[in-house]
Amino acid sequence: MKKFLKKSTAILVASAATFGAMTVATAAHAEGERYVFISHAPDSDSWWNVIKNAVKHAGDDMDVTVEYRNPPTGDLADMARIVEQAVATNPDGIVLSIADFDTLEGPLEKAARKGIPFITMNSGTEMQSKALGALMHIGQPEFAAGFGAGERAKKEGVKSFLCVNHYITNPASVERCMGFAKGLGVELGSQMIDSGSDPTNVETKVSAYLRKHPDTQAILTLGPTSAHPTLRALSKNKNLSDVYFGTFDLSGEISEAIKNDKIDFAIDQQPYLQGYLPISFLTLYSRYGLIPSNNVNSGPGFITKDNIELVEKYAGEFR
């Protein structure tokens, strides 16, 4: 496995270099670097396990130390404090998600003043990443991903929908719902609900919405946290066969639902790349002054019944 990962790293880096000239920095060669990887994800969000796996693999392959940190409850103010604490320890680099630009701007200004390089990943946009002073952004354009999902639903005749937002304080999640509405050609209003992340509450709120809006034709969930309880809500209300169901991200349960025609598609943003590439790129930057000149779009890709067998065996570990 390690030989495969090292070979994959070489291929990815070589591929990135073909998109443009590499930026040369003045960093000296070093080894045993220490990086801090900070996400906005609460401890309860199992989707991030793939990213954690990738971070560990990258640390082992590059022979560096990586500290993964996150706010246990997903509180963004707590995340900002974690960033400040990381900056104070003077690591060789930082990786973080842009859960909220305004909240993270101050702590990252301190990182820039201290000359600590950082890469943004997952949440946020390329423009936000550049404005914060990051070397690059690795992630999925969220509005575009939602828009693509909306276009798929529109082809199936969908005109009304529910977007189950389990992390509404993260602006990127709202962009997913907005993109879906745009793809359908409708305005986003009360179709987006703040479900929270507690499974029982998600199921209850989805059931309540469907009882109040029985003509809802489609549901979009934003990840396993909302997809799993939504599946239960539909099953109990015997609405499963009547609703066009799409979700972001993948899990074992979502894979089974796709195979059993309960979910029509899952949007794959390849989280393994979001965890592995930042550590690899920061290490190359620290040692040799090398960094790709472009951002990296890790998604979106669409997983359906036609291609689920290609990826399901890696769900929860690499996909």
Side-chain angles (χ1 to χ4, degrees), residues 172-261:
S173 67
V174 178
E175 288 186 6
R176 292 178 173 184
C177 298
M178 291 176 62
F180 190 76
K182 184 71 173 180
L184 285 177
V186 302
E187 293 294 325
L188 178 64
S190 60
Q191 309 99 317
M192 180 177 70
I193 62 171
D194 177 6
S195 68
S197 59
D198 178 79
T200 301
N201 289 340
V202 174
E203 182 179 334
T204 299
K205 290 183 179 181
V206 169
S207 296
Y209 184 94
L210 293 177
R211 285 195 298 271
K212 188 175 181 180
H213 304 86
D215 296 329
T216 300
Q217 297 175 309
I219 292 179
L220 180 71
T221 56
L222 305 189
T225 299
S226 49
H228 296 171
T230 296
L231 280 169
R232 292 193 291 274
L234 290 173
S235 178
K236 291 179 181 179
N237 285 275
K238 302 186 184 304
N239 292 327
L240 197 56
S241 61
D242 300 327
V243 177
Y244 186 82
F245 192 171
T247 186
F248 278 76
D249 305 328
L250 196 63
S251 70
E253 189 171 337
I254 289 173
S255 295
E256 285 299 313
I258 291 174
K259 289 193 296 181
N260 295 324
D261 296 316

Coordinates of all heavy atoms in Angstrom, one line a residue, residues 172-261:
A172 N -20.7 27.3 2.8 CA -20.6 26.4 1.7 C -21.8 25.5 1.6 O -22.2 25.1 0.5 CB -19.3 25.6 1.9
S173 N -22.4 25.1 2.7 CA -23.5 24.2 2.7 C -24.7 24.9 2.0 O -25.5 24.3 1.3 CB -23.9 23.7 4.1 OG -24.4 24.8 4.9
V174 N -24.8 26.2 2.3 CA -25.9 27.0 1.7 C -25.7 27.1 0.2 O -26.7 27.0 -0.6 CB -26.0 28.4 2.3 CG1 -27.1 29.2 1.7 CG2 -26.3 28.3 3.8
E175 N -24.5 27.2 -0.3 CA -24.2 27.3 -1.7 C -24.6 26.0 -2.4 O -25.1 26.1 -3.6 CB -22.7 27.5 -1.9 CG -22.2 28.9 -1.5 CD -20.7 29.1 -1.9 OE1 -20.2 28.2 -2.6 OE2 -20.2 30.1 -1.6
R176 N -24.5 24.9 -1.7 CA -25.0 23.6 -2.4 C -26.5 23.7 -2.6 O -26.9 23.3 -3.7 CB -24.7 22.5 -1.4 CG -23.2 22.2 -1.3 CD -22.9 21.0 -0.3 NE -21.5 20.6 -0.2 CZ -21.1 19.6 0.5 NH1 -21.9 18.9 1.2 NH2 -19.8 19.3 0.4
C177 N -27.2 24.1 -1.7 CA -28.7 24.2 -1.8 C -29.0 25.3 -2.9 O -30.0 25.1 -3.7 CB -29.3 24.6 -0.5 SG -29.1 23.3 0.8
M178 N -28.3 26.4 -2.9 CA -28.6 27.5 -3.8 C -28.3 27.0 -5.3 O -29.0 27.3 -6.2 CB -27.7 28.7 -3.5 CG -28.1 29.4 -2.2 SD -27.0 30.8 -1.8 CE -27.3 31.9 -3.3
G179 N -27.2 26.3 -5.4 CA -26.8 25.7 -6.7 C -27.9 24.8 -7.2 O -28.2 24.8 -8.4
F180 N -28.4 23.9 -6.3 CA -29.4 23.0 -6.7 C -30.7 23.7 -7.2 O -31.2 23.3 -8.3 CB -29.8 22.1 -5.5 CG -30.6 20.9 -5.9 CD1 -30.1 19.8 -6.5 CD2 -32.0 20.9 -5.5 CE1 -30.9 18.7 -6.8 CE2 -32.8 19.8 -5.8 CZ -32.2 18.7 -6.5
A181 N -31.1 24.7 -6.5 CA -32.3 25.5 -6.9 C -32.0 26.1 -8.3 O -32.9 26.1 -9.2 CB -32.6 26.6 -5.9
K182 N -30.8 26.7 -8.4 CA -30.5 27.3 -9.7 C -30.5 26.3 -10.9 O -31.0 26.6 -12.0 CB -29.1 28.0 -9.6 CG -28.7 28.8 -10.9 CD -29.4 30.0 -11.0 CE -28.9 30.9 -12.1 NZ -29.6 32.2 -12.3
G183 N -30.0 25.1 -10.6 CA -30.0 24.1 -11.6 C -31.4 23.7 -12.0 O -31.7 23.3 -13.2
L184 N -32.3 23.7 -11.1 CA -33.7 23.4 -11.4 C -34.4 24.6 -12.0 O -35.5 24.4 -12.6 CB -34.5 23.1 -10.1 CG -34.2 21.7 -9.4 CD1 -35.0 21.6 -8.1 CD2 -34.6 20.6 -10.4
G185 N -33.9 25.8 -11.9 CA -34.5 27.0 -12.4 C -35.5 27.6 -11.5 O -36.5 28.2 -12.0
V186 N -35.4 27.4 -10.2 CA -36.3 28.0 -9.2 C -35.6 28.8 -8.2 O -34.3 28.7 -8.0 CB -37.2 26.9 -8.5 CG1 -37.9 26.0 -9.5 CG2 -36.3 26.0 -7.7
E187 N -36.3 29.6 -7.4 CA -35.7 30.4 -6.3 C -35.6 29.5 -5.1 O -36.5 28.7 -4.8 CB -36.5 31.6 -6.0 CG -36.5 32.6 -7.2 CD -35.2 33.3 -7.4 OE1 -34.4 33.4 -6.4 OE2 -34.9 33.6 -8.6
L188 N -34.5 29.7 -4.3 CA -34.3 29.0 -3.0 C -35.0 29.8 -1.9 O -34.7 31.0 -1.7 CB -32.9 28.8 -2.7 CG -32.6 28.1 -1.4 CD1 -33.1 26.7 -1.3 CD2 -31.1 28.1 -1.0
G189 N -36.0 29.2 -1.3 CA -36.7 29.8 -0.2 C -36.8 28.9 1.0 O -35.8 28.4 1.5
S190 N -38.0 28.6 1.3 CA -38.2 27.7 2.5 C -37.9 26.2 2.2 O -38.1 25.4 3.1 CB -39.7 27.8 3.0 OG -40.6 27.5 1.9
Q191 N -37.5 25.9 1.0 CA -37.2 24.5 0.6 C -35.9 24.0 1.4 O -35.7 22.9 1.5 CB -36.9 24.3 -0.9 CG -38.0 24.9 -1.8 CD -37.6 26.2 -2.3 OE1 -37.1 27.1 -1.6 NE2 -37.8 26.5 -3.6
M192 N -35.1 25.0 1.9 CA -33.9 24.6 2.7 C -34.3 24.6 4.1 O -34.7 25.7 4.7 CB -32.7 25.5 2.4 CG -31.5 25.2 3.2 SD -30.0 26.2 2.8 CE -30.6 27.8 3.5
I193 N -34.1 23.5 4.8 CA -34.4 23.5 6.3 C -33.1 23.3 7.1 O -32.1 22.6 6.6 CB -35.4 22.4 6.6 CG1 -34.8 21.0 6.3 CG2 -36.7 22.6 6.0 CD1 -35.6 19.8 6.9
D194 N -33.0 23.9 8.2 CA -31.9 23.8 9.2 C -32.3 22.5 10.0 O -33.0 22.6 11.0 CB -31.8 25.0 10.0 CG -30.7 24.9 11.1 OD1 -30.0 23.9 11.1 OD2 -30.6 25.8 11.9
S195 N -31.7 21.4 9.6 CA -32.1 20.1 10.3 C -31.2 19.9 11.6 O -31.6 19.1 12.4 CB -31.9 19.0 9.3 OG -30.5 18.8 9.0
G196 N -30.1 20.6 11.7 CA -29.2 20.2 12.8 C -28.5 18.9 12.4 O -28.8 18.2 11.4
S197 N -27.6 18.4 13.3 CA -26.9 17.2 13.0 C -27.3 16.0 13.8 O -26.9 14.9 13.6 CB -25.4 17.4 13.2 OG -25.1 17.8 14.6
D198 N -28.2 16.2 14.8 CA -28.7 15.1 15.6 C -29.6 14.2 14.7 O -30.6 14.7 14.1 CB -29.5 15.6 16.8 CG -30.0 14.4 17.6 OD1 -29.3 13.8 18.4 OD2 -31.2 14.1 17.5
P199 N -29.3 12.9 14.6 CA -30.0 12.0 13.7 C -31.5 12.0 13.9 O -32.3 12.0 13.0 CB -29.4 10.6 13.9 CG -28.0 10.9 14.4 CD -28.2 12.2 15.2
T200 N -31.9 12.0 15.2 CA -33.4 12.0 15.5 C -34.0 13.3 15.1 O -35.2 13.2 14.5 CB -33.6 11.8 17.0 OG1 -33.0 10.5 17.4 CG2 -35.1 11.7 17.4
N201 N -33.4 14.4 15.3 CA -33.9 15.7 14.9 C -34.0 15.8 13.4 O -35.0 16.3 12.8 CB -33.1 16.8 15.4 CG -33.2 17.0 16.9 OD1 -34.2 16.5 17.5 ND2 -32.3 17.6 17.6
V202 N -33.0 15.3 12.7 CA -33.0 15.3 11.2 C -34.2 14.5 10.7 O -35.0 15.0 9.8 CB -31.7 14.8 10.6 CG1 -31.9 14.7 9.1 CG2 -30.5 15.6 11.0
E203 N -34.4 13.3 11.2 CA -35.5 12.5 10.8 C -36.9 13.1 11.0 O -37.8 13.2 10.2 CB -35.4 11.1 11.5 CG -36.5 10.1 11.0 CD -36.4 8.8 11.8 OE1 -35.3 8.5 12.2 OE2 -37.4 8.1 11.9
T204 N -37.0 13.7 12.2 CA -38.2 14.4 12.6 C -38.6 15.6 11.7 O -39.7 15.7 11.3 CB -38.2 14.8 14.1 OG1 -38.0 13.7 14.9 CG2 -39.4 15.6 14.5
K205 N -37.5 16.4 11.4 CA -37.8 17.6 10.6 C -38.1 17.3 9.2 O -38.9 17.9 8.5 CB -36.6 18.5 10.8 CG -36.4 19.2 12.1 CD -35.3 20.2 12.2 CE -35.2 20.8 13.6 NZ -34.1 21.8 13.7
V206 N -37.4 16.2 8.7 CA -37.7 15.8 7.3 C -39.1 15.3 7.2 O -39.9 15.6 6.3 CB -36.7 14.8 6.8 CG1 -37.1 14.1 5.5 CG2 -35.3 15.4 6.6
S207 N -39.5 14.5 8.1 CA -40.9 13.9 8.1 C -41.9 15.0 8.2 O -42.9 15.0 7.5 CB -41.0 12.9 9.3 OG -40.2 11.8 9.1
A208 N -41.7 16.0 9.1 CA -42.6 17.1 9.3 C -42.7 17.9 8.0 O -43.8 18.3 7.6 CB -42.1 18.0 10.4
Y209 N -41.6 18.2 7.3 CA -41.6 18.9 6.1 C -42.4 18.2 5.0 O -43.3 18.8 4.3 CB -40.2 19.2 5.6 CG -40.2 20.1 4.3 CD1 -40.0 21.5 4.4 CD2 -40.3 19.6 3.0 CE1 -40.0 22.3 3.3 CE2 -40.3 20.4 1.9 CZ -40.1 21.7 2.1 OH -40.1 22.5 0.9
L210 N -42.2 16.9 4.9 CA -42.9 16.1 3.9 C -44.4 16.0 4.1 O -45.2 16.0 3.2 CB -42.3 14.7 3.7 CG -40.9 14.7 3.2 CD1 -40.4 13.3 3.2 CD2 -40.8 15.3 1.8
R211 N -44.8 16.0 5.4 CA -46.2 16.0 5.7 C -46.9 17.3 5.4 O -48.0 17.4 4.9 CB -46.4 15.7 7.2 CG -46.2 14.3 7.7 CD -46.8 14.0 9.0 NE -46.1 14.9 10.1 CZ -45.0 14.5 10.7 NH1 -44.5 13.3 10.5 NH2 -44.5 15.2 11.6
K212 N -46.1 18.4 5.5 CA -46.6 19.7 5.2 C -46.6 20.0 3.7 O -47.4 20.8 3.2 CB -45.8 20.8 6.0 CG -46.4 22.2 5.9 CD -45.6 23.2 6.8 CE -46.2 24.6 6.7 NZ -45.5 25.5 7.6
H213 N -45.6 19.4 3.0 CA -45.4 19.6 1.6 C -45.4 18.2 0.9 O -44.4 17.7 0.4 CB -44.1 20.3 1.3 CG -44.0 21.6 2.0 ND1 -43.5 21.7 3.3 CD2 -44.3 22.9 1.6 CE1 -43.5 23.0 3.6 NE2 -44.0 23.7 2.7
P214 N -46.6 17.6 0.8 CA -46.7 16.2 0.3 C -46.4 16.1 -1.2 O -46.1 15.0 -1.7 CB -48.2 15.8 0.5 CG -48.9 17.1 0.6 CD -47.9 18.1 1.2
D215 N -46.3 17.2 -1.9 CA -46.0 17.2 -3.3 C -44.5 17.4 -3.6 O -44.1 17.6 -4.8 CB -46.8 18.3 -4.1 CG -48.3 18.1 -4.0 OD1 -48.7 16.9 -3.9 OD2 -49.1 19.1 -4.0
T216 N -43.7 17.3 -2.6 CA -42.2 17.5 -2.8 C -41.7 16.4 -3.7 O -42.0 15.2 -3.5 CB -41.5 17.4 -1.4 OG1 -42.0 18.5 -0.6 CG2 -40.0 17.5 -1.6
Q217 N -41.0 16.7 -4.8 CA -40.6 15.8 -5.8 C -39.2 15.3 -5.6 O -38.8 14.2 -6.1 CB -40.7 16.4 -7.2 CG -42.2 16.7 -7.6 CD -42.2 17.4 -8.9 OE1 -41.5 18.4 -9.1 NE2 -43.1 16.9 -9.8
A218 N -38.3 16.1 -4.9 CA -36.9 15.7 -4.8 C -36.4 16.1 -3.4 O -36.9 17.1 -2.8 CB -36.1 16.3 -5.9
I219 N -35.4 15.4 -3.0 CA -34.7 15.7 -1.7 C -33.2 15.7 -2.0 O -32.7 14.8 -2.7 CB -35.0 14.7 -0.6 CG1 -36.4 14.9 -0.1 CG2 -34.1 15.0 0.6 CD1 -36.8 13.9 1.0
L220 N -32.5 16.8 -1.5 CA -31.1 16.8 -1.6 C -30.5 16.9 -0.2 O -30.9 17.8 0.6 CB -30.6 18.0 -2.4 CG -29.0 18.2 -2.5 CD1 -28.5 17.1 -3.4 CD2 -28.6 19.6 -3.0
T221 N -29.7 15.9 0.2 CA -29.0 16.0 1.5 C -27.6 16.3 1.3 O -27.0 16.1 0.2 CB -29.2 14.6 2.3 OG1 -28.7 13.6 1.5 CG2 -30.6 14.4 2.6
L222 N -26.9 16.9 2.3 CA -25.6 17.4 2.1 C -24.5 16.5 2.7 O -23.3 17.0 2.8 CB -25.5 18.8 2.7 CG -26.6 19.8 2.3 CD1 -26.3 21.2 2.8 CD2 -26.7 19.8 0.7
G223 N -24.8 15.3 3.0 CA -23.8 14.4 3.4 C -24.4 13.2 4.2 O -25.6 13.3 4.5
P224 N -23.6 12.2 4.7 CA -24.2 11.1 5.4 C -24.9 11.6 6.7 O -25.9 10.9 7.1 CB -22.9 10.3 5.8 CG -22.0 10.6 4.7 CD -22.2 12.1 4.4
T225 N -24.5 12.6 7.3 CA -25.1 13.1 8.6 C -26.6 13.3 8.4 O -27.4 13.1 9.3 CB -24.4 14.4 9.1 OG1 -23.1 14.1 9.4 CG2 -25.1 14.9 10.4
S226 N -27.0 13.9 7.2 CA -28.4 14.1 6.9 C -29.0 13.1 6.0 O -30.2 12.8 6.1 CB -28.6 15.5 6.3 OG -27.7 15.7 5.2
A227 N -28.2 12.4 5.2 CA -28.7 11.4 4.3 C -29.3 10.2 5.1 O -30.3 9.7 4.7 CB -27.6 11.0 3.3
H228 N -28.5 9.7 6.1 CA -28.9 8.5 6.8 C -30.3 8.6 7.5 O -31.2 7.8 7.3 CB -27.9 8.0 7.8 CG -26.6 7.7 7.2 ND1 -25.4 7.5 7.9 CD2 -26.2 7.5 5.9 CE1 -24.4 7.2 7.1 NE2 -24.9 7.2 5.8
P229 N -30.5 9.7 8.3 CA -31.8 9.8 8.9 C -32.9 10.1 7.9 O -34.1 9.8 8.1 CB -31.6 10.9 9.9 CG -30.4 11.6 9.5 CD -29.5 10.6 8.8
T230 N -32.6 10.8 6.8 CA -33.6 11.1 5.8 C -34.1 9.8 5.1 O -35.3 9.6 4.8 CB -33.0 12.0 4.7 OG1 -32.7 13.3 5.3 CG2 -34.0 12.3 3.6
L231 N -33.2 8.9 4.9 CA -33.6 7.6 4.4 C -34.6 6.9 5.3 O -35.6 6.3 4.9 CB -32.3 6.7 4.2 CG -31.5 6.8 3.0 CD1 -30.2 6.1 3.1 CD2 -32.2 6.4 1.7
R232 N -34.3 7.0 6.6 CA -35.2 6.4 7.6 C -36.6 7.1 7.6 O -37.7 6.4 7.7 CB -34.6 6.4 9.0 CG -33.4 5.5 9.1 CD -33.0 5.3 10.6 NE -32.5 6.6 11.2 CZ -31.2 6.9 11.1 NH1 -30.4 6.2 10.5 NH2 -30.8 8.1 11.7
A233 N -36.6 8.4 7.5 CA -37.8 9.2 7.4 C -38.6 8.8 6.2 O -39.9 8.6 6.3 CB -37.5 10.7 7.4
L234 N -38.0 8.7 5.1 CA -38.7 8.3 3.9 C -39.3 6.9 4.0 O -40.4 6.6 3.5 CB -37.8 8.4 2.6 CG -37.4 9.8 2.2 CD1 -36.4 9.8 1.1 CD2 -38.6 10.6 1.8
S235 N -38.5 6.0 4.5 CA -39.0 4.6 4.7 C -40.2 4.5 5.6 O -41.2 3.8 5.3 CB -37.8 3.8 5.2 OG -38.2 2.4 5.4
K236 N -40.2 5.2 6.7 CA -41.3 5.2 7.6 C -42.5 5.8 7.1 O -43.7 5.4 7.4 CB -40.9 5.8 8.9 CG -39.8 5.1 9.7 CD -39.5 5.8 11.0 CE -38.4 5.0 11.8 NZ -38.0 5.7 13.0
N237 N -42.4 6.8 6.2 CA -43.5 7.5 5.6 C -43.9 6.9 4.3 O -44.8 7.5 3.6 CB -43.2 9.0 5.5 CG -43.2 9.8 6.8 OD1 -44.2 10.2 7.3 ND2 -42.0 9.9 7.4
K238 N -43.3 5.8 3.9 CA -43.6 5.2 2.7 C -43.6 6.1 1.5 O -44.3 6.0 0.5 CB -45.0 4.5 2.8 CG -45.1 3.5 3.9 CD -46.4 2.8 3.9 CE -46.6 1.9 5.1 NZ -45.5 0.9 5.3
N239 N -42.7 7.1 1.5 CA -42.5 8.0 0.4 C -41.3 7.7 -0.5 O -41.0 8.5 -1.4 CB -42.4 9.4 0.9 CG -43.7 9.9 1.6 OD1 -44.8 9.6 1.1 ND2 -43.6 10.7 2.6
L240 N -40.5 6.7 -0.1 CA -39.2 6.5 -0.7 C -39.3 6.4 -2.2 O -38.5 7.0 -3.0 CB -38.6 5.3 -0.1 CG -37.1 5.1 -0.3 CD1 -36.3 6.4 0.2 CD2 -36.5 3.9 0.3
S241 N -40.3 5.6 -2.7 CA -40.3 5.4 -4.2 C -40.8 6.6 -5.0 O -40.8 6.7 -6.2 CB -41.2 4.2 -4.5 OG -42.5 4.4 -4.0
D242 N -41.4 7.6 -4.2 CA -42.0 8.7 -4.9 C -41.1 9.9 -5.0 O -41.4 10.9 -5.6 CB -43.3 9.1 -4.2 CG -44.3 8.0 -4.1 OD1 -44.3 7.3 -5.1 OD2 -45.0 7.9 -3.1
V243 N -39.9 9.9 -4.3 CA -39.1 11.0 -4.2 C -37.7 10.8 -5.0 O -37.1 9.8 -4.8 CB -38.8 11.4 -2.8 CG1 -37.8 12.6 -2.6 CG2 -40.1 11.7 -2.0
Y244 N -37.3 11.8 -5.8 CA -36.0 11.7 -6.4 C -35.0 12.2 -5.3 O -35.1 13.3 -4.8 CB -36.0 12.7 -7.6 CG -34.7 12.6 -8.4 CD1 -34.5 11.6 -9.4 CD2 -33.7 13.6 -8.3 CE1 -33.4 11.6 -10.2 CE2 -32.6 13.6 -9.0 CZ -32.4 12.6 -10.0 OH -31.3 12.5 -10.7
F245 N -34.0 11.3 -5.0 CA -33.2 11.5 -3.9 C -31.7 11.6 -4.3 O -31.2 10.7 -4.9 CB -33.4 10.4 -2.9 CG -32.7 10.6 -1.5 CD1 -33.0 9.7 -0.5 CD2 -31.9 11.7 -1.2 CE1 -32.5 9.8 0.8 CE2 -31.4 11.8 0.0 CZ -31.7 10.9 1.0
G246 N -31.1 12.8 -4.0 CA -29.7 12.9 -4.3 C -29.0 13.4 -3.0 O -29.6 14.0 -2.1
T247 N -27.7 13.0 -2.9 CA -27.0 13.5 -1.7 C -25.5 13.8 -2.1 O -25.0 13.4 -3.1 CB -26.9 12.3 -0.6 OG1 -26.3 12.8 0.6 CG2 -26.1 11.1 -1.1
F248 N -24.9 14.6 -1.2 CA -23.5 14.8 -1.3 C -22.8 13.7 -0.5 O -23.3 13.2 0.5 CB -23.1 16.2 -0.7 CG -23.3 17.3 -1.6 CD1 -24.6 17.8 -1.9 CD2 -22.3 17.9 -2.3 CE1 -24.8 18.9 -2.7 CE2 -22.5 19.0 -3.2 CZ -23.7 19.5 -3.4
D249 N -21.6 13.3 -1.0 CA -20.7 12.4 -0.3 C -21.2 11.0 -0.2 O -22.3 10.7 -0.6 CB -20.4 13.0 1.1 CG -19.8 14.4 1.1 OD1 -19.1 14.7 0.1 OD2 -20.1 15.2 2.0
L250 N -20.3 10.1 0.2 CA -20.5 8.7 0.2 C -20.3 8.1 1.5 O -19.5 8.5 2.4 CB -19.5 8.1 -0.9 CG -19.8 6.7 -1.4 CD1 -21.1 6.6 -2.2 CD2 -18.6 6.3 -2.3
S251 N -21.0 7.0 1.8 CA -20.8 6.1 3.0 C -21.2 4.7 2.6 O -21.8 4.5 1.5 CB -21.6 6.7 4.1 OG -23.0 6.4 3.9
G252 N -21.0 3.8 3.5 CA -21.5 2.4 3.2 C -23.0 2.4 3.0 O -23.5 1.7 2.1
E253 N -23.7 3.1 3.9 CA -25.2 3.1 3.9 C -25.7 3.8 2.6 O -26.7 3.3 2.0 CB -25.7 3.8 5.1 CG -27.2 3.7 5.2 CD -27.7 4.2 6.6 OE1 -26.9 4.2 7.5 OE2 -28.9 4.5 6.7
I254 N -25.0 4.8 2.2 CA -25.4 5.5 0.9 C -25.1 4.6 -0.3 O -25.9 4.6 -1.2 CB -24.7 6.9 0.8 CG1 -25.2 7.8 1.9 CG2 -24.8 7.4 -0.6 CD1 -24.4 9.1 1.9
S255 N -24.0 3.9 -0.2 CA -23.7 3.0 -1.3 C -24.8 1.9 -1.5 O -25.3 1.6 -2.6 CB -22.4 2.3 -1.1 OG -21.3 3.2 -1.1
E256 N -25.2 1.4 -0.4 CA -26.3 0.3 -0.4 C -27.6 0.9 -0.9 O -28.3 0.3 -1.7 CB -26.5 -0.2 1.0 CG -25.4 -1.2 1.4 CD -25.3 -2.4 0.5 OE1 -26.4 -3.0 0.2 OE2 -24.2 -2.8 0.1
A257 N -27.9 2.2 -0.5 CA -29.1 2.8 -1.0 C -29.1 3.1 -2.5 O -30.1 3.0 -3.1 CB -29.3 4.1 -0.2
I258 N -27.9 3.4 -3.0 CA -27.8 3.6 -4.5 C -28.1 2.3 -5.2 O -28.8 2.3 -6.2 CB -26.4 4.2 -4.8 CG1 -26.3 5.6 -4.3 CG2 -26.2 4.2 -6.3 CD1 -24.9 6.2 -4.5
K259 N -27.5 1.2 -4.7 CA -27.6 -0.1 -5.4 C -29.1 -0.5 -5.3 O -29.6 -1.2 -6.2 CB -26.7 -1.1 -4.7 CG -25.2 -0.9 -5.0 CD -24.4 -2.1 -4.6 CE -24.5 -2.3 -3.1 NZ -23.6 -3.5 -2.7
N260 N -29.8 -0.2 -4.2 CA -31.2 -0.6 -4.1 C -32.2 0.4 -4.6 O -33.4 0.3 -4.2 CB -31.4 -0.9 -2.6 CG -30.6 -2.0 -2.1 OD1 -30.4 -3.0 -2.8 ND2 -30.2 -2.0 -0.8
D261 N -31.7 1.4 -5.4 CA -32.6 2.4 -6.0 C -33.3 3.3 -5.0 O -34.4 3.8 -5.3 CB -33.6 1.7 -6.9 CG -33.0 1.0 -8.1 OD1 -32.1 1.6 -8.7 OD2 -33.4 -0.2 -8.4

